[in-house]
């Protein structure tokens, strides 16, 4: 497998993990870090960009939710969306710092679009959250946090 294909695969898994597909980008990142054949910062950057762009898709879904909500494939159930809206209204844009979390992270990014959070603020906060998550995961994998 070429390096480009490997990085593209990591990007696609990270992208999909942030959207409607149930995937674990963390496992892929850990495997590649443990292989010790690729620069860790490059792996973190690729995973982060893919995951942030996946979250941007969620934001766009949120912006267009009224037209898409009734679609069978829509990635967020109504109860999860309601819960995320309550959370977002309570904590505002700062809740985007939890966009890395399983279960609640993706609905929060959709709700940010529903509630029309300005995209530059969305992008900044989600990038901080996703970079921190992958950075902590890489540090733990390398034993830096022992």
């Amino acid at each position: 497998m070429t390096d480009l294909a490997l990085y593209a695969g990591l990007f696609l898994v990270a992208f999909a993990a942030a959207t409607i597909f149930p995937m674990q980008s963390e496992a892929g990142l850990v495997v590649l870090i443990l292989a010790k054949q690729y620069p860790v910062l490059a792996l973190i950057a690729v995973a982060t960009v893919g995951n942030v762009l996946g979250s941007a898709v969620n934001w766009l879904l949120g912006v267009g939710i009224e037209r898409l909500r009734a679609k069978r494939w829509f990635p967020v159930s109504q109860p999860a969306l309601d819960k995320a809206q309550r959370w977002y209204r309570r904590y505002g844009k700062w809740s985007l710092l939890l966009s890395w979390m399983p279960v609640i992270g993706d609905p929060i990014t959709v709700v940010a679009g529903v509630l029309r959070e300005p995209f530059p603020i969305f992008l900044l906060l989600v990038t901080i959250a996703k970079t921190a998550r992958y950075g902590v995961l890489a540090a733990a994998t390398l034993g830096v946090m022992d």
Side-chain angles (χ1 to χ4, degrees):
M1 179 181 277
T2 68
D3 289 351
L4 181 58
L6 183 125
Y7 286 117
L10 178 60
F11 174 88
L12 290 173
V13 168
F15 179 88
T19 59
I20 62 175
F21 300 104
M23 296 189 140
Q24 292 293 321
S25 59
E26 295 85 357
L29 180 64
V30 167
V31 166
L32 292 174
I33 289 171
L34 291 174
K36 297 186 179 186
Q37 295 179 5
Y38 308 97
V40 174
L41 290 179
L43 294 172
I44 291 170
V46 168
T48 297
V49 170
N51 212 240
V52 168
L53 290 178
S55 292
V57 168
N58 292 345
W59 183 87
L60 288 169
L61 284 171
V63 168
I65 200 167
E66 292 310 316
R67 292 177 300 183
L68 302 174
R69 188 184 306 235
K71 300 287 185 190
R72 169 177 260 154
W73 56 264
F74 192 73
V76 183
S77 69
Q78 190 59 48
L81 187 58
D82 292 342
K83 183 177 182 179
Q85 282 181 315
R86 285 190 303 276
W87 177 280
Y88 201 87
R89 284 194 173 103
R90 182 173 183 188
Y91 297 106
K93 63 186 169 202
W94 302 112
S95 63
L96 289 168
L97 292 173
L98 298 175
S99 62
W100 64 271
M101 291 184 69
V103 181
I104 68 166
D106 295 342
I108 288 172
T109 60
V110 172
V111 170
V114 170
L115 298 177
R116 304 296 199 268
E117 185 65 56
F119 190 69
I121 292 169
F122 170 87
L123 196 59
L124 175 65
L125 293 174
V126 169
T127 300
I128 289 168
K130 307 278 186 162
T131 303
R133 183 226 2 230
Y134 287 127
V136 168
L137 180 63
T141 301
L142 294 169
V144 174
M145 298 178 67
D146 288 338

